[in-house]
Amino acid sequence: MYKILFVIPGLKTGGTNSSLSALYSNIKKQYDITVFTLSNQRNAEYNFDEVVRYSPFIISAFHVNAIEEKWYKCLAVLVLKTIRTIIRRLLGYDILDYLYKRMTHIIEKKYTYDFVVAFEESYPTKFVLYFKNANKIAWIHCNYNKYCPLGVSEEDIYSQYKNIICVSEYTSRLFVSRYPRLNAKVSSIYNLIDTESILVKSRKPIDDDRFEIGKRSVIISAGRIDPVKRFSSIPKIAKELIDRGLCFQWYILGPIAVRDEYNRLEANIEKYSVDNYVHYLGNKINPYSYFVNSDLYVCTSESEACPMVFNEAMILNTPVVTTNFGSASEFIHNNKNGFVCDIDGLAKKNLLGSHK
């Protein structure tokens, strides 16, 4: 039985960990799986928790949000991050590289793996680089041009990987356009969906009294509160729909990743006077009981690599309307399983014309 080590940033809600959860369900009987997490912070539980190994605090500290820690850990995190910044500026050396090298050496001294997988771009990809194992796999879950600005190159990093997996054809094309020499290493694999798990979770009770069913049509959007998701545009769209005489409740689920975007969302709710229509409910570990009780899922994103949420909504017979980002047409086909339009067209669409 092959032994595989997956390296992830942390154990918070998100598409990357959801896709790993579905992948784990499908391969755990055929392979010996271990998951190593760089950050020990978490706000969700996953089926692969039973095989998780946590990084020591000295590494986790560089991958956590300090304000989410207890005061003494928060102080230690801030001190360590400050030391790292000072050393980088004075000496041009990143102590995280040294810590990664030491940690991977400790892991390889104690365990033997046939494959080591960096299951997300950024820190996991840099961490796995220090393994001596030749079978290193990089997994890209993002629009690479959004993650890595033009003018910045990671070709030297990815050239040391045996395989590079992208989660959509669009993502693969973007990556290969940046690094043509790596074309032979690149392949596309869509994220898996654990249909049975979604159906089971959808039958669980809703845990928020603010979510109202039956009084008006229900629109739902979900994801981290981040500028790329463009949730702050929802109040303006809602106002235009209200002016057309539509009656609905629009709920937004997800953790706050960028505080400024959350502030813009709240400011626009007040600006357009839609506080009785648009509601931010916070992060939900189980969003599926909300999806199944909604009339429509709306995605306002500027970019998505592999929008798993589309398939999750459709499993629960919730129609999808999405903005026209790069990979949207790989998953949504107009008038068949949803609608694709630009963000300005969302307010013009008959959003509530199709119900379950």
Side-chain angles (χ1 to χ4, degrees), residues 269-288:
I269 288 174
E270 182 177 353
K271 175 182 177 181
Y272 293 103
S273 302
V274 293
D275 52 301
N276 288 327
Y277 295 84
V278 178
H279 314 275
Y280 171 62
L281 301 185
N283 189 40
K284 301 298 178 185
I285 294 176
N286 174 23
Y288 306 118

mmCIF file of all heavy atoms in Angstrom, residues 269-288:
data_model
loop_
_atom_site.group_PDB
_atom_site.id
_atom_site.type_symbol
_atom_site.label_atom_id
_atom_site.label_comp_id
_atom_site.label_asym_id
_atom_site.label_seq_id
_atom_site.Cartn_x
_atom_site.Cartn_y
_atom_site.Cartn_z
ATOM 1 N N ILE A 269 -24.695 47.850 2.652
ATOM 2 C CA ILE A 269 -26.024 47.460 3.129
ATOM 3 C C ILE A 269 -26.748 48.689 3.666
ATOM 4 O O ILE A 269 -27.937 48.917 3.389
ATOM 5 C CB ILE A 269 -25.917 46.364 4.215
ATOM 6 C CG1 ILE A 269 -25.494 45.033 3.590
ATOM 7 C CG2 ILE A 269 -27.255 46.196 4.953
ATOM 8 C CD1 ILE A 269 -25.229 43.923 4.603
ATOM 9 N N GLU A 270 -26.017 49.511 4.395
ATOM 10 C CA GLU A 270 -26.610 50.749 4.939
ATOM 11 C C GLU A 270 -26.838 51.779 3.833
ATOM 12 O O GLU A 270 -27.886 52.434 3.781
ATOM 13 C CB GLU A 270 -25.684 51.324 6.005
ATOM 14 C CG GLU A 270 -26.224 52.583 6.664
ATOM 15 C CD GLU A 270 -25.321 53.105 7.763
ATOM 16 O OE1 GLU A 270 -24.330 52.417 8.108
ATOM 17 O OE2 GLU A 270 -25.606 54.210 8.272
ATOM 18 N N LYS A 271 -25.860 51.904 2.927
ATOM 19 C CA LYS A 271 -25.954 52.890 1.849
ATOM 20 C C LYS A 271 -27.179 52.673 0.975
ATOM 21 O O LYS A 271 -27.879 53.627 0.594
ATOM 22 C CB LYS A 271 -24.689 52.829 0.986
ATOM 23 C CG LYS A 271 -24.712 53.734 -0.240
ATOM 24 C CD LYS A 271 -23.428 53.576 -1.064
ATOM 25 C CE LYS A 271 -23.474 54.423 -2.328
ATOM 26 N NZ LYS A 271 -22.222 54.250 -3.136
ATOM 27 N N TYR A 272 -27.463 51.426 0.640
ATOM 28 C CA TYR A 272 -28.577 51.113 -0.254
ATOM 29 C C TYR A 272 -29.847 50.752 0.502
ATOM 30 O O TYR A 272 -30.843 50.332 -0.107
ATOM 31 C CB TYR A 272 -28.175 49.989 -1.214
ATOM 32 C CG TYR A 272 -27.101 50.412 -2.198
ATOM 33 C CD1 TYR A 272 -25.781 50.017 -2.014
ATOM 34 C CD2 TYR A 272 -27.409 51.223 -3.284
ATOM 35 C CE1 TYR A 272 -24.779 50.415 -2.906
ATOM 36 C CE2 TYR A 272 -26.425 51.622 -4.185
ATOM 37 C CZ TYR A 272 -25.112 51.216 -3.977
ATOM 38 O OH TYR A 272 -24.139 51.625 -4.856
ATOM 39 N N SER A 273 -29.815 50.882 1.820
ATOM 40 C CA SER A 273 -30.991 50.643 2.672
ATOM 41 C C SER A 273 -31.616 49.273 2.420
ATOM 42 O O SER A 273 -32.828 49.142 2.210
ATOM 43 C CB SER A 273 -32.037 51.748 2.441
ATOM 44 O OG SER A 273 -31.492 53.023 2.719
ATOM 45 N N VAL A 274 -30.778 48.247 2.448
ATOM 46 C CA VAL A 274 -31.264 46.889 2.172
ATOM 47 C C VAL A 274 -31.062 45.976 3.389
ATOM 48 O O VAL A 274 -30.972 44.753 3.243
ATOM 49 C CB VAL A 274 -30.574 46.285 0.922
ATOM 50 C CG1 VAL A 274 -30.984 47.036 -0.333
ATOM 51 C CG2 VAL A 274 -29.038 46.299 1.088
ATOM 52 N N ASP A 275 -30.996 46.566 4.586
ATOM 53 C CA ASP A 275 -30.741 45.761 5.778
ATOM 54 C C ASP A 275 -31.863 44.768 6.074
ATOM 55 O O ASP A 275 -31.655 43.797 6.809
ATOM 56 C CB ASP A 275 -30.505 46.665 6.993
ATOM 57 C CG ASP A 275 -31.600 47.685 7.179
ATOM 58 O OD1 ASP A 275 -31.818 48.492 6.264
ATOM 59 O OD2 ASP A 275 -32.252 47.670 8.238
ATOM 60 N N ASN A 276 -33.043 44.969 5.481
ATOM 61 C CA ASN A 276 -34.137 44.006 5.645
ATOM 62 C C ASN A 276 -34.120 42.923 4.569
ATOM 63 O O ASN A 276 -34.970 42.036 4.555
ATOM 64 C CB ASN A 276 -35.486 44.716 5.618
ATOM 65 C CG ASN A 276 -35.733 45.520 6.890
ATOM 66 O OD1 ASN A 276 -35.295 45.123 7.967
ATOM 67 N ND2 ASN A 276 -36.413 46.658 6.756
ATOM 68 N N TYR A 277 -33.127 43.020 3.666
ATOM 69 C CA TYR A 277 -33.061 42.079 2.544
ATOM 70 C C TYR A 277 -31.734 41.317 2.477
ATOM 71 O O TYR A 277 -31.710 40.150 2.081
ATOM 72 C CB TYR A 277 -33.263 42.823 1.220
ATOM 73 C CG TYR A 277 -34.618 43.441 1.064
ATOM 74 C CD1 TYR A 277 -34.904 44.698 1.596
ATOM 75 C CD2 TYR A 277 -35.637 42.765 0.390
ATOM 76 C CE1 TYR A 277 -36.162 45.267 1.463
ATOM 77 C CE2 TYR A 277 -36.904 43.334 0.244
ATOM 78 C CZ TYR A 277 -37.155 44.573 0.785
ATOM 79 O OH TYR A 277 -38.418 45.134 0.659
ATOM 80 N N VAL A 278 -30.635 41.972 2.822
ATOM 81 C CA VAL A 278 -29.306 41.369 2.725
ATOM 82 C C VAL A 278 -28.761 41.137 4.132
ATOM 83 O O VAL A 278 -28.703 42.064 4.949
ATOM 84 C CB VAL A 278 -28.342 42.266 1.930
ATOM 85 C CG1 VAL A 278 -26.941 41.633 1.887
ATOM 86 C CG2 VAL A 278 -28.866 42.481 0.517
ATOM 87 N N HIS A 279 -28.342 39.892 4.410
ATOM 88 C CA HIS A 279 -27.926 39.525 5.763
ATOM 89 C C HIS A 279 -26.643 38.702 5.721
ATOM 90 O O HIS A 279 -26.577 37.682 5.024
ATOM 91 C CB HIS A 279 -29.008 38.704 6.458
ATOM 92 C CG HIS A 279 -30.387 39.266 6.306
ATOM 93 N ND1 HIS A 279 -30.894 40.236 7.135
ATOM 94 C CD2 HIS A 279 -31.364 38.995 5.383
ATOM 95 C CE1 HIS A 279 -32.129 40.543 6.751
ATOM 96 N NE2 HIS A 279 -32.436 39.795 5.694
ATOM 97 N N TYR A 280 -25.639 39.151 6.462
ATOM 98 C CA TYR A 280 -24.420 38.363 6.626
ATOM 99 C C TYR A 280 -24.575 37.513 7.886
ATOM 100 O O TYR A 280 -24.729 38.039 8.982
ATOM 101 C CB TYR A 280 -23.197 39.263 6.737
ATOM 102 C CG TYR A 280 -21.937 38.511 7.117
ATOM 103 C CD1 TYR A 280 -21.423 37.518 6.278
ATOM 104 C CD2 TYR A 280 -21.273 38.769 8.321
ATOM 105 C CE1 TYR A 280 -20.293 36.806 6.623
ATOM 106 C CE2 TYR A 280 -20.140 38.063 8.676
ATOM 107 C CZ TYR A 280 -19.648 37.089 7.825
ATOM 108 O OH TYR A 280 -18.519 36.375 8.176
ATOM 109 N N LEU A 281 -24.542 36.196 7.729
ATOM 110 C CA LEU A 281 -24.788 35.278 8.851
ATOM 111 C C LEU A 281 -23.505 34.726 9.472
ATOM 112 O O LEU A 281 -23.575 33.935 10.416
ATOM 113 C CB LEU A 281 -25.672 34.114 8.394
ATOM 114 C CG LEU A 281 -27.048 34.475 7.835
ATOM 115 C CD1 LEU A 281 -27.840 33.206 7.536
ATOM 116 C CD2 LEU A 281 -27.810 35.377 8.791
ATOM 117 N N GLY A 282 -22.352 35.105 8.933
ATOM 118 C CA GLY A 282 -21.097 34.592 9.486
ATOM 119 C C GLY A 282 -20.710 33.249 8.889
ATOM 120 O O GLY A 282 -21.345 32.751 7.945
ATOM 121 N N ASN A 283 -19.680 32.656 9.436
ATOM 122 C CA ASN A 283 -19.198 31.370 8.939
ATOM 123 C C ASN A 283 -20.077 30.232 9.438
ATOM 124 O O ASN A 283 -20.503 30.219 10.595
ATOM 125 C CB ASN A 283 -17.762 31.147 9.405
ATOM 126 C CG ASN A 283 -17.136 29.932 8.751
ATOM 127 O OD1 ASN A 283 -17.338 29.698 7.570
ATOM 128 N ND2 ASN A 283 -16.369 29.173 9.505
ATOM 129 N N LYS A 284 -20.377 29.291 8.568
ATOM 130 C CA LYS A 284 -21.179 28.121 8.922
ATOM 131 C C LYS A 284 -20.403 26.855 8.579
ATOM 132 O O LYS A 284 -20.047 26.640 7.416
ATOM 133 C CB LYS A 284 -22.520 28.128 8.182
ATOM 134 C CG LYS A 284 -23.384 29.369 8.448
ATOM 135 C CD LYS A 284 -23.765 29.488 9.902
ATOM 136 C CE LYS A 284 -24.575 30.749 10.177
ATOM 137 N NZ LYS A 284 -24.848 30.940 11.617
ATOM 138 N N ILE A 285 -20.152 26.034 9.589
ATOM 139 C CA ILE A 285 -19.437 24.780 9.354
ATOM 140 C C ILE A 285 -20.229 23.883 8.414
ATOM 141 O O ILE A 285 -19.670 23.170 7.584
ATOM 142 C CB ILE A 285 -19.160 24.078 10.691
ATOM 143 C CG1 ILE A 285 -18.176 24.913 11.526
ATOM 144 C CG2 ILE A 285 -18.596 22.678 10.464
ATOM 145 C CD1 ILE A 285 -17.916 24.363 12.900
ATOM 146 N N ASN A 286 -21.554 23.916 8.537
ATOM 147 C CA ASN A 286 -22.425 23.138 7.652
ATOM 148 C C ASN A 286 -23.334 24.093 6.868
ATOM 149 O O ASN A 286 -24.415 24.446 7.334
ATOM 150 C CB ASN A 286 -23.268 22.153 8.466
ATOM 151 C CG ASN A 286 -24.281 21.425 7.593
ATOM 152 O OD1 ASN A 286 -24.108 21.305 6.382
ATOM 153 N ND2 ASN A 286 -25.361 20.968 8.210
ATOM 154 N N PRO A 287 -22.918 24.494 5.666
ATOM 155 C CA PRO A 287 -23.752 25.407 4.878
ATOM 156 C C PRO A 287 -24.885 24.704 4.127
ATOM 157 O O PRO A 287 -25.785 25.357 3.596
ATOM 158 C CB PRO A 287 -22.759 26.015 3.881
ATOM 159 C CG PRO A 287 -21.768 24.915 3.668
ATOM 160 C CD PRO A 287 -21.636 24.207 4.993
ATOM 161 N N TYR A 288 -24.840 23.361 4.090
ATOM 162 C CA TYR A 288 -25.741 22.627 3.195
ATOM 163 C C TYR A 288 -27.210 22.671 3.629
ATOM 164 O O TYR A 288 -28.103 22.621 2.784
ATOM 165 C CB TYR A 288 -25.256 21.185 3.043
ATOM 166 C CG TYR A 288 -23.813 21.124 2.604
ATOM 167 C CD1 TYR A 288 -22.839 20.531 3.406
ATOM 168 C CD2 TYR A 288 -23.417 21.707 1.405
ATOM 169 C CE1 TYR A 288 -21.509 20.507 3.024
ATOM 170 C CE2 TYR A 288 -22.087 21.681 1.008
ATOM 171 C CZ TYR A 288 -21.133 21.087 1.824
ATOM 172 O OH TYR A 288 -19.821 21.079 1.444
#
